Amino acid sequence: MAEVSIDLNMVRVSNEDFLKKAADCAPQLKETLVRPVEIVDIRETDGVYPEVLHRDSVDNMQNYHMKKGDKLCLDFGDHQVGYVTLKLASVGSPQDAPAFFKLKFGEIAKEMTEKSEEYDGWISRGWIQEEWFHIDVLPATLVLPRRYAFRYLEIETIDTSMKWQLVVEDVVCRSVSSVSLDDVKPVETEDEMVKKLDRVSLRTLKNCMQDVFEDGPKRDRRLWLGDLRLQALANYETFKNYDLVKRCLYLFAGQTKDNGQVSACLFTEPEVIADDTFLLDYSMFFGAALYDYYQASGDMETLKDLSKCAYRQMEVAAEQFNEKHILKDQEGFWGFIDWTEGLDKQCGVQGVYIYCAKRVQKIAEVLGDAAEAEKMSEEIRLKTEAAWKYLYDEKAGLFVSGKERQINYANQVWMILAEVADVKTCGEILDRVIAMKPEKGMVSPYMNHHFVEALLLTGKKGQAMDYMKYYWGGMIGHGADTFWELYNPENPAESPYGSSIVNSYCHAWSCTPTYLLRKYF
Amino acid sequence: MAEVSIDLNMVRVSNEDFLKKAADCAPQLKETLVRPVEIVDIRETDGVYPEVLHRDSVDNMQNYHMKKGDKLCLDFGDHQVGYVTLKLASVGSPQDAPAFFKLKFGEIAKEMTEKSEEYDGWISRGWIQEEWFHIDVLPATLVLPRRYAFRYLEIETIDTSMKWQLVVEDVVCRSVSSVSLDDVKPVETEDEMVKKLDRVSLRTLKNCMQDVFEDGPKRDRRLWLGDLRLQALANYETFKNYDLVKRCLYLFAGQTKDNGQVSACLFTEPEVIADDTFLLDYSMFFGAALYDYYQASGDMETLKDLSKCAYRQMEVAAEQFNEKHILKDQEGFWGFIDWTEGLDKQCGVQGVYIYCAKRVQKIAEVLGDAAEAEKMSEEIRLKTEAAWKYLYDEKAGLFVSGKERQINYANQVWMILAEVADVKTCGEILDRVIAMKPEKGMVSPYMNHHFVEALLLTGKKGQAMDYMKYYWGGMIGHGADTFWELYNPENPAESPYGSSIVNSYCHAWSCTPTYLLRKYF
């Protein structure tokens, strides 16, 4: 199902002061030169994931004299985000035709066996990391202008000629990030899986921390508010790069729709431009993310600057409630919550409203803005009461959503994170939904993160740890170097896009185990 | 049939003095900016050649908002050799995915309908002029680094996204050549076909005159001796760029095999390197081309410098004759003559030997080198007598070749061009072979050129003109802007490479009508 927003009539309003402050916080990227560690063979298996077999030492790379149809797959040993340069030469007779070859980059081995020409999903095939080149004169140094996210690089010789062969003399990746893993100590534990959860989280977060917090360095390579909030939380516990969060908050406030609503995401190239995608939960998270940032950094100036924008998001959202203080039915791609197909989001977003209102109230209190604090307090009361009155099914003991009164995880999780009841009541609701195992499950690590937070908030620390090991540990079990955008343990090949070849396998919103481990354990 | 020479043990010998003289004659390329003149539709027909239909004015190019699968075919109005720059932009919502598109260049419309992925010939698929690009940030100016030979350029949008479309704002070709058409007056005639033959020849020659005389700017883009000789002849009658010929002669003499044999072709990038392809007729043409150059330019210094190399080619060739003064049977790709499948080349190359020996004798005479002149004279006598004795079939009244005593055009044409008999006798031989229409026909314009020269040498001027109109005029009838590498009027789709998609449609050896018209009419 295509989930796309287009609003060609959207009027954008810029705050040049905010955009300047964002620009002033732009990071200097750190660079590391990384070379492949091994020549591998990636072979399909009966299962979902292919196997990666050792083929040769990378020291023997120059011995491969590649002719028509020959392939060479290089393993860089871990997930990289960077710029690749290849040194190429020819052997045999003089090069009497252009070298014609294809490069394919994959974050995980599975992408390397998927056929891009068969891709027919609803997001762009342009996201598949493949390039075709003709090189007229060898030897040559091919400096690829684009940035790739990958562990594997396959070089496929489409044609040379009968007279000469192609040799890959050297390949190097200039890996980039605004942070360094050297600056963070691993969590202290004897538990190997916990160590791995932390390590893979850190690499995920690091590789998403570029000029802004990207959602994924493969795709979409840009700043989404929902992702930012979780990345920022993980960052405060680890890299502590406050400026990058500050930059992103100023960017979102720096260009909005003319009604003041912040976009779900924005572009920074060729210039800052807010996307015409508006997701109600994401817009509201601006306030939550701002409050988190203030708590972590103590940066009162930024809190002051951006508080109005946070207030405004709640006002814009408030317009979407009916006279009973229940979120009106919406059409199209209006809120996110999770990628679960057919998920009813009414109740979840009502929970997000209460959750965010509580944080915006705190902002107002810090700033001594009594009227706004009072207003939020009243909103919280009204929306909470309405939720219990209209969205709670007494018989099931669970929150329901939409006309069909859909029971799903998201309803319960967001009402619990919004703290609409005491810990005991919330804990019982969570127990019931877990026992029920509703048909509308959780697909994204983003939703699963909130589920774990709900477990932790209701004191179910052991269950939370077990779940992290089951869910994020499941990806590690499948060989993840970084955590994936999507992971459904019951359907590992699932994709909301029509094919997993365009899935992102290093995705911001999946980096939270390091945060959860460090904050709650 | 693959015709490839590989000699990895070849030892190359350079003459640095000659290479320096070649470098000193390197041309400064002239540049012209050319824009497309029309948006066209190229559609397959029942016949060999597709039809080119007007689609839109090029002024409307920016109105094409290209989404997944959309194509735009631009007609540059005539054959171009140059470097292309595209100005690209996006329309709609912000560009939320890389622009992914393919460019395909074609010298003639037919290439645009041929499917490159189906190509399975024996020369490299890398010659097909197609490129794939991902552009992460639009608007962008895409400066293509490679040079293309084309009239048509198709832009195919493989994917954008559901949110935006690709716009081609401008396309410009920086066309290059070492000469300008403005410097040559058209032949004076009222005959429209003759005007066209001249014009298309001139454009063919001009577009092959780059840093060296290339065989074809699409393929192979390099200096072949057989092509050079004919290009040089046409050049003396038209552009009169003597330095470019001088440069090429010094290049061939500047690097040879260790036995002194000049290669059939050579590369100038990344440095001058003689190919490991040796064709006996091509090597011998070094002397003929040198003498032609001296006659046209009067450059005695070059004649002196390079005479030894010309002598040496005849010595190397002489080793290939048996004690009866007949060329020994050879295996592999040892001589060229024509691309005709199954052509026996023994007699043709014997004719070339005599032809070249006569020119080398003249060089020796000019230089006062009596011994060499005498040696050539004796060689001419011996090889001519042997040809009549062993290669002439009295009954057929025709020259034959090889064990199978094959009768073909090439035998007769080269013996006539070698002037092994008086004009009348030669004319009768030519009449007989034309009447007989041997199974082994003539495929390349190169061979057809020599056939017309034979007609002219035997006084058949009317027939020569008729044949030029039939043969080169046939290409014009099929829409040629430049003359093709291959043309068989009876099988227009013929290719020696397994598919006509890799044929060159602007080919040096096909440019000779302008020479023939200006020299003989």
Side-chain angles (χ1 to χ4, degrees):
Chain A
M1 184 185 60
E3 299 254 43
V4 168
S5 296
I6 296 172
D7 178 5
L8 298 182
N9 297 318
M10 170 184 173
V11 176
R12 292 171 175 84
V13 177
S14 294
N15 181 319
E16 296 304 332
D17 180 40
F18 286 180
L19 291 177
K20 189 182 173 306
K21 286 186 177 173
D24 290 345
C25 292
Q28 179 79 36
L29 296 188
K30 297 168 198 285
E31 303 186 348
T32 321
L33 294 185
V34 181
R35 284 190 161 76
V37 296
E38 196 180 356
I39 299 171
V40 294
D41 259 333
I42 297 179
R43 294 204 196 140
E44 286 187 88
T45 63
D46 294 339
V48 171
Y49 299 98
E51 56 184 2
V52 181
L53 304 170
H54 172 80
R55 180 175 170 190
D56 206 341
S57 159
V58 82
D59 297 335
N60 295 329
M61 192 164 70
Q62 300 195 29
N63 300 340
Y64 288 78
H65 295 180
M66 299 175 71
K67 57 185 194 311
K68 192 172 181 169
D70 284 350
K71 294 179 183 182
L72 190 68
C73 189
L74 304 175
D75 177 358
F76 280 72
D78 207 335
H79 188 276
Q80 309 297 333
V81 177
Y83 299 87
V84 173
T85 295
L86 296 97
K87 273 186 69 184
L88 304 167
S90 69
V91 289
S93 289
Q95 187 202 356
D96 67 340
F100 182 26
F101 55 94
K102 182 182 170 183
L103 303 182
K104 187 176 182 184
F105 296 87
E107 296 188 296
I108 65 168
K110 185 163 179 278
E111 287 167 275
M112 307 305 283
T113 60
E114 291 173 310
K115 292 184 176 56
S116 54
E117 60 277 16
E118 291 171 7
Y119 173 71
D120 193 30
W122 62 270
I123 62 172
S124 178
R125 186 180 153 185
W127 288 120
I128 302 171
Q129 300 181 109
E130 52 186 355
E131 310 287 355
W132 289 257
F133 289 97
H134 290 88
I135 305 277
D136 291 315
V137 180
L138 293 172
T141 299
L142 176 60
V143 182
L144 304 183
R146 303 180 70 214
R147 200 193 69 190
Y148 302 95
F150 69 104
R151 172 170 171 169
Y152 302 103
L153 164 57
E154 182 188 80
I155 301 138
E156 176 185 353
T157 312
I158 302 176
D159 217 336
T160 56
S161 90
M162 297 169 77
K163 294 192 59 157
W164 59 276
Q165 297 83 43
L166 180 68
V167 171
V168 182
E169 293 191 328
D170 190 21
V171 184
V172 63
C173 175
R174 180 165 53 84
S175 292
V176 291
S177 170
S178 54
V179 293
S180 167
L181 287 175
D182 298 340
D183 298 339
V184 182
K185 280 190 192 152
V187 284
E188 285 182 22
T189 175
E190 294 301 306
D191 186 327
E192 286 303 317
M193 179 50 87
V194 170
K195 283 183 189 170
K196 284 181 189 167
L197 287 172
D198 183 55
R199 195 163 59 226
V200 174
S201 294
L202 284 170
R203 190 155 198 109
T204 306
L205 179 57
K206 168 192 168 251
N207 282 359
C208 291
M209 288 175 74
Q210 301 293 338
D211 182 56
V212 293
F213 281 93
E214 296 184 12
D215 59 334
K218 169 185 167 187
R219 201 217 87 242
D220 305 325
R221 306 184 198 166
R222 66 180 187 269
L223 180 57
W224 286 84
L225 228 169
D227 300 71
L228 169 65
R229 179 177 143 261
L230 298 191
Q231 285 169 297
L233 290 171
N235 171 52
Y236 304 141
E237 300 292 331
T238 54
F239 300 109
K240 301 187 198 301
N241 185 336
Y242 301 114
D243 265 6
L244 196 65
V245 185
K246 180 178 169 185
R247 166 168 165 76
C248 293
L249 291 170
Y250 272 108
L251 283 172
F252 274 114
Q255 189 175 90
T256 65
K257 200 172 170 172
D258 55 353
N259 71 349
Q261 186 174 7
V262 298
S263 175
C265 71
L266 54 77
F267 303 83
T268 52
E269 287 185 292
E271 60 195 347
V272 174
I273 186 158
D275 192 29
D276 53 358
T277 299
F278 292 90
L279 301 171
L280 208 55
D281 46 349
Y282 274 33
S283 295
M284 290 188 283
F285 282 136
F286 182 82
L290 178 61
Y291 185 64
D292 292 340
Y293 169 73
Y294 168 71
Q295 280 198 300
S297 68
D299 177 354
M300 181 67 88
E301 189 189 325
T302 297
L303 189 74
K304 253 186 220 163
D305 258 6
L306 302 182
S307 56
K308 294 286 183 296
C309 182
Y311 299 166
R312 183 60 193 145
Q313 303 320 304
M314 300 314 292
E315 291 166 9
V316 168
E319 292 166 12
Q320 299 305 315
F321 287 76
N322 67 16
E323 67 293 347
K324 292 177 180 168
H325 298 288
I326 291 294
L327 204 58
K328 292 181 229 172
D329 281 334
Q330 313 270 337
E331 298 210 335
F333 187 44
W334 65 278
F336 180 68
I337 301 293
D338 197 5
W339 275 124
T340 309
E341 189 90 21
L343 184 74
D344 195 289
K345 301 172 181 178
Q346 181 199 40
C347 179
V349 178
Q350 179 120 2
V352 171
Y353 183 90
I354 301 164
Y355 175 93
C356 292
K358 289 186 174 177
R359 275 126 191 102
V360 172
Q361 181 187 355
K362 292 216 170 104
I363 293 172
E365 287 166 3
V366 170
L367 296 174
D369 194 342
E372 184 69 24
E374 178 51 35
K375 184 173 150 194
M376 283 300 106
S377 173
E378 180 65 2
E379 279 295 300
I380 292 160
R381 186 183 66 77
L382 291 167
K383 267 60 182 182
T384 304
E385 284 176 11
W388 282 111
K389 191 166 175 186
Y390 301 108
L391 298 178
Y392 188 70
D393 184 307
E394 287 289 348
K395 207 174 137 201
L398 291 167
F399 287 97
V400 298
S401 189
K403 281 185 194 151
E404 309 286 332
R405 297 180 68 76
Q406 183 184 90
I407 293 175
N408 57 41
Y409 287 100
N411 302 346
Q412 327 310 322
V413 165
W414 276 110
M415 285 298 170
I416 290 166
L417 295 180
E419 298 169 272
V420 297
D422 57 57
V423 167
K424 185 170 169 291
T425 309
C426 287
E428 286 162 5
I429 289 172
L430 204 52
D431 288 340
R432 280 195 288 273
V433 77
I434 290 168
M436 181 194 179
K437 220 175 179 256
E439 183 220 332
K440 295 294 166 196
M442 298 180 289
V443 171
S444 66
Y446 173 83
M447 183 63 224
N448 279 279
H449 161 83
H450 293 114
F451 174 70
V452 175
E453 279 231 291
L455 286 171
L456 290 165
L457 203 66
T458 53
K460 302 173 194 297
K461 211 166 151 178
Q463 239 175 302
M465 177 59 90
D466 289 346
Y467 194 82
M468 279 198 286
K469 288 181 175 177
Y470 160 72
Y471 186 75
W472 282 267
M475 292 186 241
I476 289 173
H478 292 306
D481 302 304
T482 46
F483 288 125
W484 307 344
E485 175 188 21
L486 279 311
Y487 177 61
N488 182 349
E490 295 171 18
N491 179 14
E494 186 160 314
S495 166
Y497 308 123
S499 163
S500 61
I501 194 171
V502 291
N503 284 8
S504 159
Y505 292 99
C506 172
H507 215 74
W509 69 21
S510 310
C511 75
T512 57
T514 191
Y515 159 72
L516 298 168
L517 290 168
R518 287 161 196 263
K519 175 149 188 201
Y520 295 101
F521 293 89
Chain B
M1 186 184 58
E3 299 253 43
V4 168
S5 297
I6 296 172
D7 179 5
L8 298 181
N9 297 319
M10 170 184 172
V11 176
R12 292 172 175 84
V13 177
S14 293
N15 181 319
E16 296 303 331
D17 180 41
F18 287 179
L19 291 176
K20 191 184 172 305
K21 286 187 177 173
D24 290 345
C25 292
Q28 178 79 35
L29 295 187
K30 297 169 197 283
E31 302 186 349
T32 321
L33 294 184
V34 181
R35 283 191 161 76
V37 296
E38 196 180 357
I39 300 172
V40 294
D41 260 334
I42 298 178
R43 294 204 196 141
E44 287 188 87
T45 62
D46 294 339
V48 171
Y49 299 98
E51 54 184 3
V52 181
L53 304 170
H54 173 80
R55 179 174 170 190
D56 206 342
S57 159
V58 82
D59 297 336
N60 294 329
M61 193 164 71
Q62 300 196 29
N63 299 340
Y64 288 79
H65 295 179
M66 298 174 72
K67 56 185 195 314
K68 192 173 181 167
D70 285 349
K71 294 180 183 181
L72 190 67
C73 188
L74 304 175
D75 177 359
F76 280 71
D78 207 334
H79 188 276
Q80 310 297 332
V81 177
Y83 299 86
V84 173
T85 295
L86 296 98
K87 273 186 69 183
L88 303 167
S90 69
V91 290
S93 290
Q95 187 203 355
D96 67 340
F100 183 26
F101 55 93
K102 182 182 171 184
L103 302 181
K104 187 176 182 185
F105 296 88
E107 297 188 295
I108 65 168
K110 185 162 179 279
E111 288 167 275
M112 307 305 282
T113 60
E114 290 173 311
K115 291 182 178 57
S116 53
E117 60 276 17
E118 292 171 8
Y119 172 71
D120 194 30
W122 62 269
I123 63 170
S124 179
R125 187 180 152 186
W127 288 120
I128 301 171
Q129 300 181 108
E130 53 186 353
E131 310 287 355
W132 288 258
F133 289 98
H134 290 88
I135 305 277
D136 292 316
V137 180
L138 293 172
T141 299
L142 176 60
V143 183
L144 305 183
R146 304 179 71 214
R147 200 193 70 189
Y148 302 95
F150 69 104
R151 172 170 171 170
Y152 302 102
L153 163 57
E154 182 188 80
I155 302 137
E156 177 185 353
T157 312
I158 302 176
D159 217 337
T160 55
S161 90
M162 297 170 78
K163 295 191 59 155
W164 59 276
Q165 297 83 44
L166 179 68
V167 171
V168 182
E169 292 190 329
D170 191 21
V171 185
V172 63
C173 175
R174 181 165 52 84
S175 293
V176 290
S177 170
S178 54
V179 292
S180 167
L181 287 175
D182 298 341
D183 299 338
V184 181
K185 279 190 192 155
V187 283
E188 286 182 24
T189 175
E190 293 302 306
D191 186 325
E192 285 304 319
M193 179 51 87
V194 170
K195 282 183 189 170
K196 284 181 189 168
L197 287 172
D198 183 54
R199 196 163 59 226
V200 174
S201 294
L202 284 171
R203 191 156 197 108
T204 306
L205 179 57
K206 166 191 170 252
N207 283 358
C208 291
M209 288 175 75
Q210 302 292 339
D211 182 55
V212 292
F213 281 92
E214 296 184 12
D215 59 334
K218 170 186 167 187
R219 203 217 84 242
D220 304 326
R221 307 184 197 164
R222 68 179 186 269
L223 180 57
W224 285 84
L225 229 170
D227 301 71
L228 168 65
R229 179 177 142 263
L230 297 192
Q231 285 169 298
L233 289 172
N235 171 52
Y236 304 141
E237 299 293 330
T238 55
F239 300 110
K240 302 186 197 300
N241 185 336
Y242 301 114
D243 265 6
L244 196 64
V245 185
K246 180 177 168 185
R247 166 169 165 75
C248 294
L249 291 171
Y250 272 107
L251 284 172
F252 274 114
Q255 189 174 91
T256 64
K257 200 172 170 172
D258 55 352
N259 71 349
Q261 186 174 7
V262 298
S263 175
C265 71
L266 55 77
F267 301 84
T268 53
E269 286 185 295
E271 59 195 350
V272 174
I273 187 158
D275 192 29
D276 54 358
T277 299
F278 292 89
L279 302 171
L280 208 56
D281 45 350
Y282 275 33
S283 295
M284 290 189 282
F285 282 136
F286 182 82
L290 177 61
Y291 185 64
D292 292 339
Y293 169 73
Y294 167 71
Q295 279 198 302
S297 68
D299 177 354
M300 180 66 88
E301 188 189 326
T302 298
L303 188 76
K304 253 185 220 163
D305 259 5
L306 301 183
S307 56
K308 296 284 183 297
C309 182
Y311 300 165
R312 182 63 193 143
Q313 303 320 304
M314 301 312 293
E315 290 165 11
V316 168
E319 293 165 12
Q320 300 306 313
F321 286 77
N322 65 17
E323 68 292 346
K324 292 176 178 168
H325 298 287
I326 291 296
L327 205 57
K328 292 182 230 172
D329 281 334
Q330 313 270 335
E331 297 211 335
F333 187 44
W334 65 278
F336 181 68
I337 301 293
D338 197 5
W339 275 124
T340 309
E341 189 88 23
L343 183 74
D344 195 288
K345 300 172 181 178
Q346 181 200 40
C347 179
V349 176
Q350 179 122 1
V352 171
Y353 184 89
I354 301 165
Y355 174 94
C356 291
K358 289 187 174 176
R359 276 128 192 100
V360 171
Q361 181 187 356
K362 292 215 170 105
I363 292 173
E365 286 166 4
V366 170
L367 295 175
D369 194 342
E372 183 69 26
E374 178 52 34
K375 184 173 150 194
M376 283 300 106
S377 173
E378 180 65 2
E379 278 297 298
I380 293 161
R381 186 183 65 76
L382 291 167
K383 268 60 182 182
T384 304
E385 282 175 12
W388 281 113
K389 190 166 177 187
Y390 299 108
L391 299 176
Y392 187 69
D393 184 306
E394 288 288 349
K395 204 174 138 203
L398 292 167
F399 286 97
V400 298
S401 188
K403 281 184 194 152
E404 309 288 331
R405 298 179 68 78
Q406 183 184 89
I407 293 176
N408 57 42
Y409 287 101
N411 303 346
Q412 326 312 321
V413 164
W414 277 111
M415 285 298 170
I416 291 166
L417 295 180
E419 298 170 270
V420 297
D422 57 58
V423 168
K424 184 168 168 292
T425 309
C426 287
E428 286 162 4
I429 289 172
L430 202 53
D431 288 340
R432 281 195 289 273
V433 77
I434 291 168
M436 181 195 180
K437 219 173 178 261
E439 184 221 331
K440 296 294 167 195
M442 298 181 287
V443 171
S444 65
Y446 174 83
M447 183 63 224
N448 279 279
H449 161 83
H450 292 116
F451 174 70
V452 174
E453 280 230 292
L455 286 171
L456 289 165
L457 204 66
T458 53
K460 303 173 195 295
K461 210 167 154 178
Q463 237 174 306
M465 176 60 88
D466 289 346
Y467 193 81
M468 279 198 285
K469 288 181 176 178
Y470 160 72
Y471 186 76
W472 283 267
M475 292 186 241
I476 289 173
H478 293 306
D481 302 305
T482 45
F483 287 125
W484 308 343
E485 175 188 20
L486 280 310
Y487 178 60
N488 181 348
E490 294 171 18
N491 179 15
E494 185 160 315
S495 166
Y497 308 123
S499 164
S500 60
I501 194 171
V502 291
N503 285 10
S504 159
Y505 292 99
C506 173
H507 215 75
W509 69 21
S510 311
C511 75
T512 55
T514 191
Y515 159 72
L516 297 168
L517 289 169
R518 286 162 197 262
K519 173 146 189 204
Y520 295 99
F521 293 90

